[in-house]
Amino acid sequence: MSMLEIPKSFSVKTLLEVTSTNDIACASAVDGADAGTVIVSLNQTSGRGRRGRVWDSSPGNLFFSIILRPMCAPLVAAQASFVASISVNETIRHFIGEQSDVLCKWPNDVLVNKKKIAGILLESQTSGSGKSIAVVDWLIVGIGINVSSVPILPNGELITSINKETSSTIEREDVLNVFLEYFHSFLQVWKNEGFLVIRDVWLNKSFPKGESIKIEISGRMVSGLFLGINNDGSLLMQDEKGIVHTISSGDVFFNSLEYTNASCH
Ligand code: BTN
């Protein structure tokens, strides 16, 4: 039986403008806010992405952060990014239909027809160190989904939005509500059936194994083949010498994705 605690329901708080919904969610968690609190903002003045990057918070897109209190070890809590990623993937499919190619890209991007539509940023606080077992006090799952704006990024990364893909005007509240339903049901799968089931769902929604990729390892771009992810969510890549690398953080570039000016070129 899993020790994971998941929220029974969500309580959404909508704000007009914040620095980052993750900032507000972290501060609320420190103040004792319940698991399941969702902070949404119409605007972010300092939206953050992974690895210290800026998250372009163009008007009309969806920015939100969910407080979880999973009461588990940090390595287990990190699996929540895959739970979020498959929930975003299903949400995008719900709105744009099966005709589009909606893919999860390690560690936690979602792409539509090879263009990024959403990103996920996890932040957490852990208590216990030394001889005591470390437990995550709170975990913030911050998610940005492009609903109506398509930011132009300096690295030339291809970007899209739900409304661009559907040629319609879907409301961000509707996107959030659909996401929360999927997220709740995948959180239950995670708790009841374990990460390996979540991993398999994620793998079914990701690039095929054997796809040619590049990843930065110790400051060097290494090419190889995508072999999937292991039991703790690390990426497995076989390089040209046949050595299998287990990578716990970084940026992956699939050679089948086009970038005009990405750092791998
Ligand atoms: C990434 O792809 O680098 C992750 C992007 C995460 C962006 C979201 S928007 C809502 C929340 N608040 C932030 O400042 N970041 C996350």
Side-chain angles (χ1 to χ4, degrees), residues 101-125:
D101 201 13
V102 186
L103 287 178
C104 295
K105 174 177 169 276
W106 188 89
N108 43 25
D109 291 348
V110 178
L111 313 183
V112 174
N113 296 332
K114 299 186 171 167
K115 292 172 235 159
K116 181 160 170 171
I117 199 162
I120 299 164
L121 178 69
L122 259 54
E123 292 179 297
S124 62
Q125 180 173 281

mmCIF file of all heavy atoms in Angstrom, residues 101-125:
data_model
loop_
_atom_site.group_PDB
_atom_site.id
_atom_site.type_symbol
_atom_site.label_atom_id
_atom_site.label_comp_id
_atom_site.label_asym_id
_atom_site.label_seq_id
_atom_site.Cartn_x
_atom_site.Cartn_y
_atom_site.Cartn_z
ATOM 1 N N ASP A 101 -0.682 15.272 -33.367
ATOM 2 C CA ASP A 101 0.318 14.463 -32.699
ATOM 3 C C ASP A 101 0.645 15.151 -31.367
ATOM 4 O O ASP A 101 1.362 16.150 -31.352
ATOM 5 C CB ASP A 101 1.537 14.484 -33.634
ATOM 6 C CG ASP A 101 2.460 13.351 -33.385
ATOM 7 O OD1 ASP A 101 2.049 12.423 -32.678
ATOM 8 O OD2 ASP A 101 3.579 13.402 -33.902
ATOM 9 N N VAL A 102 0.083 14.673 -30.255
ATOM 10 C CA VAL A 102 0.331 15.301 -28.947
ATOM 11 C C VAL A 102 1.310 14.414 -28.186
ATOM 12 O O VAL A 102 0.983 13.272 -27.851
ATOM 13 C CB VAL A 102 -0.977 15.459 -28.137
ATOM 14 C CG1 VAL A 102 -0.716 16.254 -26.855
ATOM 15 C CG2 VAL A 102 -2.055 16.151 -28.963
ATOM 16 N N LEU A 103 2.514 14.931 -27.924
ATOM 17 C CA LEU A 103 3.569 14.088 -27.353
ATOM 18 C C LEU A 103 4.158 14.695 -26.085
ATOM 19 O O LEU A 103 4.313 15.916 -25.981
ATOM 20 C CB LEU A 103 4.704 13.913 -28.361
ATOM 21 C CG LEU A 103 4.425 13.006 -29.561
ATOM 22 C CD1 LEU A 103 5.633 12.982 -30.479
ATOM 23 C CD2 LEU A 103 4.092 11.593 -29.103
ATOM 24 N N CYS A 104 4.492 13.821 -25.136
ATOM 25 C CA CYS A 104 5.251 14.231 -23.955
ATOM 26 C C CYS A 104 6.737 14.147 -24.306
ATOM 27 O O CYS A 104 7.179 13.175 -24.918
ATOM 28 C CB CYS A 104 4.978 13.294 -22.787
ATOM 29 S SG CYS A 104 3.283 13.337 -22.192
ATOM 30 N N LYS A 105 7.474 15.174 -23.913
ATOM 31 C CA LYS A 105 8.929 15.180 -24.155
ATOM 32 C C LYS A 105 9.620 15.285 -22.793
ATOM 33 O O LYS A 105 9.289 16.180 -22.008
ATOM 34 C CB LYS A 105 9.291 16.368 -25.047
ATOM 35 C CG LYS A 105 10.769 16.584 -25.256
ATOM 36 C CD LYS A 105 10.968 17.747 -26.227
ATOM 37 C CE LYS A 105 12.401 18.205 -26.299
ATOM 38 N NZ LYS A 105 12.769 19.154 -25.226
ATOM 39 N N TRP A 106 10.554 14.366 -22.548
ATOM 40 C CA TRP A 106 11.240 14.336 -21.256
ATOM 41 C C TRP A 106 11.968 15.647 -20.994
ATOM 42 O O TRP A 106 12.577 16.176 -21.927
ATOM 43 C CB TRP A 106 12.261 13.184 -21.273
ATOM 44 C CG TRP A 106 12.886 12.921 -19.937
ATOM 45 C CD1 TRP A 106 12.431 12.096 -18.965
ATOM 46 C CD2 TRP A 106 14.120 13.477 -19.455
ATOM 47 N NE1 TRP A 106 13.279 12.113 -17.896
ATOM 48 C CE2 TRP A 106 14.327 12.954 -18.170
ATOM 49 C CE3 TRP A 106 15.053 14.386 -19.964
ATOM 50 C CZ2 TRP A 106 15.430 13.284 -17.394
ATOM 51 C CZ3 TRP A 106 16.145 14.725 -19.195
ATOM 52 C CH2 TRP A 106 16.329 14.176 -17.927
ATOM 53 N N PRO A 107 11.981 16.196 -19.751
ATOM 54 C CA PRO A 107 11.301 15.567 -18.626
ATOM 55 C C PRO A 107 9.816 15.911 -18.535
ATOM 56 O O PRO A 107 9.060 15.087 -18.048
ATOM 57 C CB PRO A 107 12.060 16.115 -17.411
ATOM 58 C CG PRO A 107 12.582 17.435 -17.853
ATOM 59 C CD PRO A 107 12.841 17.330 -19.327
ATOM 60 N N ASN A 108 9.424 17.125 -18.936
ATOM 61 C CA ASN A 108 8.004 17.433 -18.687
ATOM 62 C C ASN A 108 7.415 18.487 -19.606
ATOM 63 O O ASN A 108 6.644 19.334 -19.171
ATOM 64 C CB ASN A 108 7.765 17.812 -17.210
ATOM 65 C CG ASN A 108 8.839 18.732 -16.699
ATOM 66 O OD1 ASN A 108 9.454 19.427 -17.499
ATOM 67 N ND2 ASN A 108 9.080 18.741 -15.418
ATOM 68 N N ASP A 109 7.762 18.423 -20.883
ATOM 69 C CA ASP A 109 7.123 19.308 -21.862
ATOM 70 C C ASP A 109 6.016 18.542 -22.567
ATOM 71 O O ASP A 109 6.047 17.309 -22.633
ATOM 72 C CB ASP A 109 8.121 19.726 -22.954
ATOM 73 C CG ASP A 109 9.203 20.651 -22.435
ATOM 74 O OD1 ASP A 109 9.062 21.152 -21.296
ATOM 75 O OD2 ASP A 109 10.175 20.871 -23.171
ATOM 76 N N VAL A 110 5.072 19.285 -23.116
ATOM 77 C CA VAL A 110 4.085 18.669 -24.010
ATOM 78 C C VAL A 110 4.134 19.419 -25.343
ATOM 79 O O VAL A 110 4.175 20.658 -25.373
ATOM 80 C CB VAL A 110 2.659 18.695 -23.405
ATOM 81 C CG1 VAL A 110 1.652 18.098 -24.386
ATOM 82 C CG2 VAL A 110 2.642 17.910 -22.092
ATOM 83 N N LEU A 111 4.206 18.650 -26.415
ATOM 84 C CA LEU A 111 4.325 19.218 -27.764
ATOM 85 C C LEU A 111 3.113 18.821 -28.600
ATOM 86 O O LEU A 111 2.570 17.727 -28.431
ATOM 87 C CB LEU A 111 5.570 18.679 -28.481
ATOM 88 C CG LEU A 111 6.913 18.648 -27.741
ATOM 89 C CD1 LEU A 111 7.993 18.130 -28.692
ATOM 90 C CD2 LEU A 111 7.311 20.017 -27.237
ATOM 91 N N VAL A 112 2.727 19.714 -29.505
ATOM 92 C CA VAL A 112 1.690 19.373 -30.491
ATOM 93 C C VAL A 112 2.313 19.552 -31.864
ATOM 94 O O VAL A 112 2.832 20.632 -32.179
ATOM 95 C CB VAL A 112 0.458 20.296 -30.355
ATOM 96 C CG1 VAL A 112 -0.534 20.027 -31.479
ATOM 97 C CG2 VAL A 112 -0.208 20.078 -29.008
ATOM 98 N N ASN A 113 2.245 18.524 -32.660
ATOM 99 C CA ASN A 113 2.875 18.541 -33.978
ATOM 100 C C ASN A 113 4.302 19.109 -33.885
ATOM 101 O O ASN A 113 4.704 19.970 -34.649
ATOM 102 C CB ASN A 113 2.016 19.324 -34.976
ATOM 103 C CG ASN A 113 0.676 18.625 -35.186
ATOM 104 O OD1 ASN A 113 0.572 17.409 -35.048
ATOM 105 N ND2 ASN A 113 -0.355 19.387 -35.479
ATOM 106 N N LYS A 114 5.022 18.646 -32.868
ATOM 107 C CA LYS A 114 6.432 18.964 -32.623
ATOM 108 C C LYS A 114 6.683 20.400 -32.152
ATOM 109 O O LYS A 114 7.808 20.879 -32.147
ATOM 110 C CB LYS A 114 7.291 18.627 -33.845
ATOM 111 C CG LYS A 114 7.202 17.136 -34.162
ATOM 112 C CD LYS A 114 8.108 16.712 -35.251
ATOM 113 C CE LYS A 114 8.081 15.181 -35.311
ATOM 114 N NZ LYS A 114 8.676 14.650 -36.510
ATOM 115 N N LYS A 115 5.611 21.107 -31.755
ATOM 116 C CA LYS A 115 5.780 22.469 -31.228
ATOM 117 C C LYS A 115 5.361 22.473 -29.764
ATOM 118 O O LYS A 115 4.330 21.887 -29.407
ATOM 119 C CB LYS A 115 4.905 23.448 -32.014
ATOM 120 C CG LYS A 115 5.362 23.625 -33.442
ATOM 121 C CD LYS A 115 4.365 24.444 -34.221
ATOM 122 C CE LYS A 115 3.958 23.658 -35.436
ATOM 123 N NZ LYS A 115 2.715 24.033 -36.048
ATOM 124 N N LYS A 116 6.138 23.174 -28.918
ATOM 125 C CA LYS A 116 5.845 23.155 -27.475
ATOM 126 C C LYS A 116 4.553 23.916 -27.177
ATOM 127 O O LYS A 116 4.354 25.032 -27.652
ATOM 128 C CB LYS A 116 7.024 23.766 -26.701
ATOM 129 C CG LYS A 116 6.829 23.760 -25.191
ATOM 130 C CD LYS A 116 8.145 23.898 -24.456
ATOM 131 C CE LYS A 116 7.939 24.134 -22.969
ATOM 132 N NZ LYS A 116 9.172 24.062 -22.193
ATOM 133 N N ILE A 117 3.694 23.303 -26.365
ATOM 134 C CA ILE A 117 2.427 23.951 -25.995
ATOM 135 C C ILE A 117 2.317 24.133 -24.485
ATOM 136 O O ILE A 117 1.515 24.942 -24.027
ATOM 137 C CB ILE A 117 1.237 23.137 -26.568
ATOM 138 C CG1 ILE A 117 -0.039 23.989 -26.620
ATOM 139 C CG2 ILE A 117 1.007 21.828 -25.811
ATOM 140 C CD1 ILE A 117 -1.115 23.438 -27.527
ATOM 141 N N ALA A 118 3.129 23.404 -23.708
ATOM 142 C CA ALA A 118 3.011 23.480 -22.244
ATOM 143 C C ALA A 118 4.316 23.084 -21.579
ATOM 144 O O ALA A 118 5.108 22.313 -22.144
ATOM 145 C CB ALA A 118 1.890 22.554 -21.764
ATOM 146 N N GLY A 119 4.528 23.636 -20.374
ATOM 147 C CA GLY A 119 5.704 23.277 -19.580
ATOM 148 C C GLY A 119 5.322 23.142 -18.110
ATOM 149 O O GLY A 119 4.303 23.707 -17.674
ATOM 150 N N ILE A 120 6.117 22.408 -17.373
ATOM 151 C CA ILE A 120 5.805 22.091 -15.969
ATOM 152 C C ILE A 120 7.050 22.355 -15.126
ATOM 153 O O ILE A 120 8.162 21.966 -15.504
ATOM 154 C CB ILE A 120 5.395 20.602 -15.844
ATOM 155 C CG1 ILE A 120 4.139 20.342 -16.695
ATOM 156 C CG2 ILE A 120 5.161 20.204 -14.387
ATOM 157 C CD1 ILE A 120 3.860 18.878 -16.961
ATOM 158 N N LEU A 121 6.860 23.024 -13.980
ATOM 159 C CA LEU A 121 7.977 23.318 -13.070
ATOM 160 C C LEU A 121 7.592 22.897 -11.658
ATOM 161 O O LEU A 121 6.649 23.417 -11.086
ATOM 162 C CB LEU A 121 8.257 24.829 -13.100
ATOM 163 C CG LEU A 121 9.353 25.327 -12.165
ATOM 164 C CD1 LEU A 121 10.723 24.830 -12.622
ATOM 165 C CD2 LEU A 121 9.357 26.850 -12.109
ATOM 166 N N LEU A 122 8.355 21.940 -11.109
ATOM 167 C CA LEU A 122 8.097 21.460 -9.745
ATOM 168 C C LEU A 122 9.012 22.168 -8.754
ATOM 169 O O LEU A 122 10.206 22.332 -9.027
ATOM 170 C CB LEU A 122 8.384 19.954 -9.672
ATOM 171 C CG LEU A 122 7.196 18.994 -9.718
ATOM 172 C CD1 LEU A 122 6.329 19.252 -10.923
ATOM 173 C CD2 LEU A 122 7.662 17.554 -9.697
ATOM 174 N N GLU A 123 8.464 22.563 -7.610
ATOM 175 C CA GLU A 123 9.281 23.105 -6.520
ATOM 176 C C GLU A 123 8.774 22.487 -5.225
ATOM 177 O O GLU A 123 7.570 22.244 -5.089
ATOM 178 C CB GLU A 123 9.189 24.635 -6.493
ATOM 179 C CG GLU A 123 9.867 25.240 -7.723
ATOM 180 C CD GLU A 123 9.809 26.747 -7.795
ATOM 181 O OE1 GLU A 123 8.704 27.296 -7.877
ATOM 182 O OE2 GLU A 123 10.864 27.359 -7.780
ATOM 183 N N SER A 124 9.691 22.232 -4.289
ATOM 184 C CA SER A 124 9.242 21.533 -3.081
ATOM 185 C C SER A 124 10.061 21.941 -1.863
ATOM 186 O O SER A 124 11.143 22.528 -1.981
ATOM 187 C CB SER A 124 9.363 20.022 -3.278
ATOM 188 O OG SER A 124 10.703 19.672 -3.478
ATOM 189 N N GLN A 125 9.526 21.608 -0.703
ATOM 190 C CA GLN A 125 10.281 21.757 0.547
ATOM 191 C C GLN A 125 10.261 20.423 1.274
ATOM 192 O O GLN A 125 9.203 19.792 1.377
ATOM 193 C CB GLN A 125 9.653 22.828 1.421
ATOM 194 C CG GLN A 125 10.418 22.999 2.725
ATOM 195 C CD GLN A 125 9.894 24.170 3.513
ATOM 196 O OE1 GLN A 125 10.211 25.321 3.230
ATOM 197 N NE2 GLN A 125 9.062 23.874 4.493
#
